[in-house]
Amino acid sequence: MSQVPAPTPLLQNRLDVHDRKQLELKLEYLPSGADDETRYLVETYFFLPASLNIDAETYPRAAFYADIHNYVRFKTPVMTLAEVLTVDSSPLARLEAGLRTGLVGESELVYQVKLLSCIFRGTLRRFANCVDERCEGMARAGDVTCAQLEVDVRAAQDGVRRVLERFRVWARSANRFRLQEKTRASIRLVDEYMSLTVEQFFRKAVADMNSLPRTGVYIELRKELMDEVLREERYRKDNQLRSVISPTGDNEEYIHRIGFLKKFCMNILFLSARRASNRQGWEEVLFALAAGVAMAFATAVALWAQKHDATQASLNFFLIMVVGYMMKDRIKEGMRRIFSQLAARHLYDRKSRIMDPVTGRCLGTCEEKVDYGSAVKVPEAVATLRSRDDFITVSQGELSETVIRYQKQVVLDAELLPRTERGLSGITDIIRINVERFLRDMDEPEYALEYVDLEDFSVGRVRGAKSYQVDLAFRFIVEESDQERESLQLVRLVLDRNGIKRMLRLCPEQPPQPEPIRSAA
């Protein structure tokens, strides 16, 4: 009986520590195309110790959004190195065909060159991750033989050499034509970026092989990968490029060039987000309603006073009008606060339209919202996940904590997304969360603890590290074709005043379980 392949997930996520002050959540929205629209809801719950002094007043919404950096782009098309070399729809094949026919404009030429570098980088990144996974699997199993690893390394080495050779032959041929200097410079920069990509991921693969024996085939594999790294380094030196690592320098320019080249090559994939306040219009309507109710009350008081006291210059009439105005003002402000809280509870803070800068089409919408404290209702599934930790179980109701919920809802129009040979292309959403505000009220990161030596009872001091633990729970919900899929993930950040020390994955992501969408009552 043949096994039914598992369906492709509609949402993939990866959570990593980006640096000491930033956490990075990478989301990949992958609509299947079975429905016109696919809706994604991502909820992030921050469980913060009360000692950090973080609430709606000390960390308002504007400050929270200022600490979130968002990058939205098309998902990089997936191709193997063999497909890059053989498939007619690959950027390399299109560049070579355009050179033969001369029908490709310079803007399209630059686009295909950059797209080639993006696909090339994605392929080598997957290769490096595959090497890492195979090495970890071999270490866990205690097995030092893996024929597939040798096959993967040799295939990557051969494929990289052939792709670069064909691309550089094409580049030399293209430069014989009367291209603009900007186009020539773009080709040179892409060539440098692809060379650095080989160095980056082949060097990473060698580093991941550190646990393997340093004999036999594994020494040969390391040597062959490093030979490719050195070959590309010599290529950049021969072409007078300064992106070469110096063992004795600070490599500032090397890091700068890598960052610049990555942005330059990948900018063809990035989408623009036209942002507007989602709540402002509704709030203005509600505030106008509050003003109208207050004015109706003041007018009713004035009419009542005029009816019962025909002499409008009397003291009683004057006092009634003053009191009526005071009540009108308080009614207006009170209703404004009530309506503002109502809007904050039920409406998103801001809304963005996800735009393709090339075609100008709107691919979907993105809405965001932040809630604090009592306005946050923690789902039972999230609370159950946290209850697996004894510290959390016994502290609930005894030790106070602040809860912040960040919601992000993305709706994509599947019909407008580009299609590839592998199906509908997706969108990558990268969210970087800066935790620097969490660190402001923390104690010193190190203490000196008194220690008594049991042999002579002398008193000394030992180092004690002070840290704080912040739990982050993620809830991912996908709605498509009358089906709802939900998954959860729980991590714990260990922080001190200097930033993030480490991240603990308390609960891995649960596999999504599809269920019918519950209709509104």
Side-chain angles (χ1 to χ4, degrees):
M1 183 176 179
S2 61
Q3 186 177 4
V4 178
T8 303
L10 302 178
L11 173 63
Q12 297 178 357
N13 71 85
R14 190 183 73 214
L15 183 66
D16 291 304
V17 176
H18 182 261
D19 54 38
R20 289 280 286 179
K21 301 292 178 66
Q22 293 186 98
L23 190 71
E24 182 175 284
L25 175 62
K26 184 176 182 181
L27 304 168
E28 291 191 348
Y29 309 122
L30 304 169
S32 66
D35 203 351
D36 293 341
E37 284 188 349
T38 305
R39 187 180 304 270
Y40 300 88
L41 177 63
V42 179
E43 294 183 334
T44 306
Y45 294 86
F46 299 81
F47 298 91
L48 303 159
S51 58
L52 298 184
N53 189 31
I54 293 178
D55 55 30
E57 293 183 358
T58 61
Y59 194 38
R61 286 183 172 85
F64 181 90
Y65 284 123
D67 286 338
I68 290 183
H69 299 271
N70 206 190
Y71 308 90
V72 184
R73 61 174 174 83
F74 283 122
K75 186 178 183 294
T76 305
V78 176
M79 283 188 174
T80 64
L81 291 173
E83 289 173 334
V84 171
L85 291 165
T86 58
V87 175
D88 292 339
S89 60
S90 80
L92 182 58
R94 289 176 176 173
L95 288 170
E96 292 172 336
L99 189 65
R100 291 192 299 269
T101 61
L103 300 178
V104 178
E106 292 194 30
S107 59
E108 176 65 17
L109 183 148
V110 172
Y111 175 85
Q112 294 295 335
V113 166
K114 289 184 177 182
L115 184 60
L116 173 63
S117 70
C118 294
I119 295 174
F120 187 71
R121 183 179 187 277
T123 303
L124 291 190
R125 183 181 63 246
R126 290 190 297 275
F127 160 73
N129 291 338
C130 180
V131 170
D132 185 28
E133 291 172 1
R134 294 197 188 282
C135 292
E136 288 183 354
M138 293 166 63
R140 286 194 300 268
D143 185 9
V144 295
T145 59
C146 183
Q148 189 58 46
L149 177 62
E150 182 179 357
V151 172
D152 292 342
V153 170
R154 297 271 162 75
Q157 179 188 5
D158 178 67
V160 162
R161 190 177 296 181
R162 291 171 61 194
V163 168
L164 290 177
E165 181 180 354
R166 278 178 56 179
F167 171 71
R168 287 165 182 167
V169 168
W170 172 88
R172 288 192 294 270
S173 301
N175 283 327
R176 299 192 187 104
F177 291 87
R178 299 179 61 181
L179 300 177
Q180 298 179 11
E181 182 55 33
K182 183 177 180 180
T183 303
R184 295 175 185 270
S186 298
I187 296 173
R188 290 195 297 269
L189 291 178
V190 169
D191 187 16
E192 181 181 1
Y193 181 60
M194 294 175 67
S195 176
L196 288 168
T197 299
V198 174
E199 176 179 281
Q200 176 186 356
F201 290 107
F202 276 15
R203 196 187 296 275
K204 180 181 183 300
V206 173
D208 291 335
M209 295 168 65
N210 190 50
S211 60
L212 300 183
R214 302 184 184 278
T215 56
V217 66
Y218 297 112
I219 282 292
E220 294 179 10
L221 294 179
R222 290 183 176 98
K223 184 178 183 301
E224 290 173 6
L225 288 174
M226 289 308 298
D227 283 345
E228 294 299 322
V229 172
L230 295 175
R231 185 195 311 274
E232 291 306 311
E233 187 175 278
R234 286 194 299 271
Y235 175 81
R236 296 196 300 277
K237 286 181 179 178
D238 293 343
N239 287 272
Q240 298 180 346
L241 300 174
R242 297 185 296 276
S243 52
V244 178
I245 292 180
S246 170
T248 57
D250 61 4
N251 293 296
E252 178 183 352
E253 186 169 4
Y254 177 85
I255 297 298
H256 172 73
R257 288 186 74 86
I258 287 181
F260 174 83
L261 290 171
K262 182 179 178 181
K263 293 183 180 68
F264 172 76
C265 292
M266 297 192 69
N267 66 358
I268 60 167
L269 299 176
F270 278 85
L271 303 171
S272 62
R274 297 181 182 176
R275 183 167 296 159
S277 176
N278 193 38
R279 255 183 21 209
Q280 187 175 4
W282 285 105
E283 281 187 338
E284 294 298 330
V285 173
L286 293 174
F287 292 166
L289 179 61
V293 172
M295 188 61 191
F297 173 82
T299 304
V301 170
L303 293 175
W304 180 87
Q306 187 177 19
K307 179 180 178 181
H308 290 77
D309 191 347
T311 308
Q312 297 188 12
S314 67
L315 178 61
N316 289 339
F317 183 83
F318 174 76
L319 293 176
I320 291 173
M321 292 301 295
V322 170
V323 173
Y325 180 81
M326 292 167 58
M327 294 300 297
K328 165 188 170 293
D329 184 68
R330 291 302 88 202
I331 290 173
K332 178 182 175 181
E333 291 302 318
M335 293 191 68
R336 280 174 62 95
R337 284 195 298 270
I338 293 173
F339 287 152
S340 181
Q341 293 172 1
L342 187 66
R345 187 176 299 115
H346 297 286
L347 298 177
Y348 283 88
D349 299 330
R350 56 186 190 177
K351 182 177 181 178
S352 304
R353 293 198 305 160
I354 302 173
M355 307 294 296
D356 184 346
V358 177
T359 63
R361 295 183 299 183
C362 178
L363 305 178
T365 59
C366 172
E367 296 177 298
E368 298 169 279
K369 181 182 179 184
V370 179
D371 294 309
Y372 297 84
S374 59
V376 179
K377 184 179 180 181
V378 179
E380 183 178 348
V382 173
T384 303
L385 274 185
R386 296 191 74 216
S387 66
R388 298 179 183 179
D389 187 286
D390 288 343
F391 273 25
I392 301 300
T393 301
V394 301
S395 64
Q396 287 179 353
E398 297 189 24
L399 299 178
S400 60
E401 64 180 1
T402 300
V403 182
I404 300 177
R405 178 180 62 187
Y406 170 59
Q407 291 180 297
K408 185 169 190 175
Q409 180 174 259
V410 175
V411 180
L412 295 180
D413 189 335
E415 295 183 351
L416 297 181
L417 293 177
R419 293 182 177 271
T420 66
E421 292 187 351
R422 295 176 183 264
L424 198 64
S425 178
I427 286 181
T428 299
D429 186 3
I430 300 174
I431 305 172
R432 287 183 185 167
I433 304 171
N434 193 307
V435 301
E436 191 165 9
R437 173 58 187 86
F438 300 170
L439 316 177
R440 193 185 68 184
D441 292 327
M442 289 186 178
D443 294 339
E444 290 291 336
E446 291 189 4
Y447 286 88
L449 303 177
E450 292 184 347
Y451 175 79
V452 179
D453 191 323
L454 295 180
E455 292 186 1
D456 57 3
F457 297 100
S458 60
V459 178
R461 292 182 180 277
V462 296
R463 175 177 171 268
K466 174 68 173 178
S467 65
Y468 297 77
Q469 296 183 351
V470 174
D471 286 357
L472 272 73
F474 297 90
R475 186 180 181 217
F476 307 101
I477 299 176
V478 183
E479 295 180 6
E480 185 185 77
S481 301
D482 297 329
Q483 294 250 320
E484 181 180 284
R485 297 170 174 85
E486 178 178 330
S487 59
L488 302 171
Q489 191 172 2
L490 180 65
V491 300
R492 175 168 295 163
L493 292 182
V494 181
L495 310 169
D496 63 15
R497 185 180 282 188
N498 296 322
I500 302 173
K501 297 182 69 174
R502 60 188 175 275
M503 182 178 69
L504 308 175
R505 300 183 187 273
L506 301 183
C507 180
E509 182 187 3
Q510 298 178 346
Q513 300 294 330
E515 58 183 38
I517 296 178
R518 296 176 293 274
S519 59

